[in-house]
């Protein structure tokens, strides 16, 4: 694994190995880089969870963190992502963490940038580290993926989380369903659509997504007051969920829109557990990339000894 761009690039063995390593970090395992290494966080889109959990992961692994703010950088003078990434590599960054609004921003970087690149979010394309922390959270709960019914509900069309999760979960044997307003359906993704009532009654995992207003070409006429009743998880629907079923949400959450506010921290909710897992899964991914370059000892290889 030289870069981390999409979960689809990983074998099933690699997916389970990342989850296993993340669990070891969760249980107190530690690792430190063997020399000074600079981690550069190039976030061109807003972020709270992904950026901060990457920074926590980088610091826990003993890395030096280089921050970047596009609005006060030479991006303001027209510098491209490509030239910015090349610049960070030239001045000594050892690994790049990039979030950018382009769905495939990494295409023209992977050929020439030699240091590892981690996809921290690509437009409407993929959000692979979010996917890995979601997989970790589901696996903690059920100990398997095969046969689980997973409903992904909300603004599917504009969601990189939906795309990453749907393919990864299907590959791992889960039955994936989409649910949501017709205008948010994505006909390019071949997954069955069901109503929220059916999703609530049949799913083991209910994954909710917010309306991604910032990615809409036309302003979505604000139906927020009725949206919850039609397409969201109400308390009434949550009561009809299976006893063991859990609620996930990548966050940020629009309380009262895609989910009733009282459900955000309810017994079924694993939303804040997802965020905590985000640190461990990101530590695991960084460790694997740096181990390939000999900058840190790989837990997986030590496990096999
Ligand atoms: N889930 C997620 O990507 O959150 P942020 O946008 O806050 O990073």
């Amino acid at each position: 694994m030289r870069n981390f761009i999409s979960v689809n690039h990983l074998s099933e063995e690699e997916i389970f190995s990342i989850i296993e390593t993340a669990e070891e970090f969760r249980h107190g395992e530690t690792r430190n880089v063997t020399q000074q290494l600079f981690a550069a966080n190039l976030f061109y889109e807003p972020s709270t969870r992904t950026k901060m959990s990457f920074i926590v992961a980088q610091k826990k692994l003993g890395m030096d963190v280089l921050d970047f703010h596009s609005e006060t950088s030479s991006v303001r003078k027209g510098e491209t992502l490509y030239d910015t990434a090349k610049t960070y590599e030239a001045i000594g960054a050892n690994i790049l963490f990039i979030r950018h609004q382009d769905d495939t921003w990494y295409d023209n970087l992977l050929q020439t940038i030699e240091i590892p690149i981690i996809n921290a979010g690509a437009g409407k394309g993929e959000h692979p580290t979010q996917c890995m922390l979601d997989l970790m959270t589901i696996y903690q709960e059920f100990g398997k993926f095969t046969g689980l019914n997973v409903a992904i509900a909300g603004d599917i069309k504009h969601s990189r989380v939906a795309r990453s999760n749907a393919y990864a979960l299907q590959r791992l044997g889960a039955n994936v369903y989409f649910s949501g307003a017709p205008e948010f359906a994505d006909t390019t993704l071949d997954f069955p659509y069901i109503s929220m009532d059916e999703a609530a009654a049949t799913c083991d995992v209910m994954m909710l997504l917010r309306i991604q207003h910032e990615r809409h070409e036309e302003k979505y006429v604000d139906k927020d007051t009725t949206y919850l009743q039609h397409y969201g998880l109400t308390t009434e629907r949550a009561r009809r969920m299976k006893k063991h079923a859990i609620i996930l949400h990548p966050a940020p959450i629009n309380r009262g829109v895609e989910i009733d506010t009282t459900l955000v921290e309810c017994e079924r909710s694993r939303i804040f557990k997802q965020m905590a897992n985000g640190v461990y899964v990101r530590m695991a991914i960084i460790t694997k990339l740096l181990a390939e370059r000999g900058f840190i000892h790989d837990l997986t290889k030590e496990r096999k000894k």
Side-chain angles (χ1 to χ4, degrees), residues 47-65:
S47 171
T48 299
R49 275 146 295 275
T50 310
K51 184 171 178 181
M52 289 307 138
S53 59
F54 264 128
I55 290 175
V56 171
Q58 291 154 4
K59 290 189 178 221
K60 277 178 178 266
L61 294 170
M63 304 183 78
D64 286 313
V65 178

Side-chain angles (χ1 to χ4, degrees), residues 212-229:
Q212 306 252 320
H213 289 288
E214 72 276 24
R215 302 195 196 286
H216 291 195
E217 281 166 22
E218 283 176 36
K219 185 170 163 39
Y220 181 65
V221 181
D222 198 352
K223 296 175 190 152
D224 287 358
T225 49
T226 53
Y227 185 88
L228 178 65
Q229 292 305 320

Side-chain angles (χ1 to χ4, degrees), residues 89 91 109 113 153 168 185 232 251 302:
E89 182 179 44
I91 63 176
L109 271 63
I113 303 278
E302 286 183 11

